[in-house]
PDB file of all heavy atoms in Angstrom:
ATOM      1  N   GLU A 168     -39.479  37.956  22.027  1.00 98.00           N
ATOM      2  CA  GLU A 168     -40.802  38.463  21.713  1.00 98.00           C
ATOM      3  C   GLU A 168     -41.045  38.223  20.206  1.00 98.00           C
ATOM      4  O   GLU A 168     -40.126  38.267  19.399  1.00 98.00           O
ATOM      5  CB  GLU A 168     -40.853  39.991  21.999  1.00 98.00           C
ATOM      6  CG  GLU A 168     -40.593  40.322  23.446  1.00 98.00           C
ATOM      7  CD  GLU A 168     -40.087  41.745  23.631  1.00 98.00           C
ATOM      8  OE1 GLU A 168     -39.368  42.232  22.724  1.00 98.00           O
ATOM      9  OE2 GLU A 168     -40.369  42.353  24.683  1.00 98.00           O
ATOM     10  N   ASP A 331     -35.512  39.863  26.788  1.00 98.00           N
ATOM     11  CA  ASP A 331     -36.581  40.866  26.938  1.00 98.00           C
ATOM     12  C   ASP A 331     -37.764  40.329  27.737  1.00 98.00           C
ATOM     13  O   ASP A 331     -38.913  40.762  27.502  1.00 98.00           O
ATOM     14  CB  ASP A 331     -37.074  41.357  25.568  1.00 98.00           C
ATOM     15  CG  ASP A 331     -35.948  41.936  24.689  1.00 98.00           C
ATOM     16  OD1 ASP A 331     -35.278  42.863  25.178  1.00 98.00           O
ATOM     17  OD2 ASP A 331     -35.759  41.458  23.564  1.00 98.00           O
ATOM     18  N   MET A 332     -37.485  39.460  28.698  1.00 98.00           N
ATOM     19  CA  MET A 332     -38.637  38.973  29.521  1.00 98.00           C
ATOM     20  C   MET A 332     -39.222  40.110  30.362  1.00 98.00           C
ATOM     21  O   MET A 332     -40.369  40.030  30.789  1.00 98.00           O
ATOM     22  CB  MET A 332     -38.200  37.810  30.410  1.00 98.00           C
ATOM     23  CG  MET A 332     -37.928  36.527  29.630  1.00 98.00           C
ATOM     24  SD  MET A 332     -39.404  35.851  28.815  1.00 98.00           S
ATOM     25  CE  MET A 332     -40.285  35.125  30.222  1.00 98.00           C
ATOM     26  N   GLY A 334     -39.322  44.457  30.153  1.00 98.00           N
ATOM     27  CA  GLY A 334     -39.011  45.584  29.299  1.00 98.00           C
ATOM     28  C   GLY A 334     -39.302  45.348  27.836  1.00 98.00           C
ATOM     29  O   GLY A 334     -39.792  44.273  27.435  1.00 98.00           O
ATOM     30  N   ALA A 336     -41.470  45.214  25.175  1.00 98.00           N
ATOM     31  CA  ALA A 336     -42.925  45.159  25.051  1.00 98.00           C
ATOM     32  C   ALA A 336     -43.521  44.316  26.192  1.00 98.00           C
ATOM     33  O   ALA A 336     -42.960  43.294  26.570  1.00 98.00           O
ATOM     34  CB  ALA A 336     -43.324  44.533  23.713  1.00 98.00           C
ATOM     35  N   GLU A 338     -46.062  41.588  27.573  1.00 98.00           N
ATOM     36  CA  GLU A 338     -46.372  40.321  26.894  1.00 98.00           C
ATOM     37  C   GLU A 338     -47.633  39.703  27.467  1.00 98.00           C
ATOM     38  O   GLU A 338     -47.749  39.466  28.667  1.00 98.00           O
ATOM     39  CB  GLU A 338     -45.180  39.390  27.002  1.00 98.00           C
ATOM     40  CG  GLU A 338     -43.937  39.972  26.327  1.00 98.00           C
ATOM     41  CD  GLU A 338     -42.677  39.128  26.529  1.00 98.00           C
ATOM     42  OE1 GLU A 338     -42.813  37.900  26.663  1.00 98.00           O
ATOM     43  OE2 GLU A 338     -41.589  39.724  26.549  1.00 98.00           O
TER      44      GLU A 338
HETATM   45 CA1   CA B 502     -40.914  41.947  26.975  1.00 79.38          CA
END
Side-chain angles (χ1 to χ4, degrees):
E168 299 156 328
D331 303 305
M332 289 296 284
E338 298 174 30

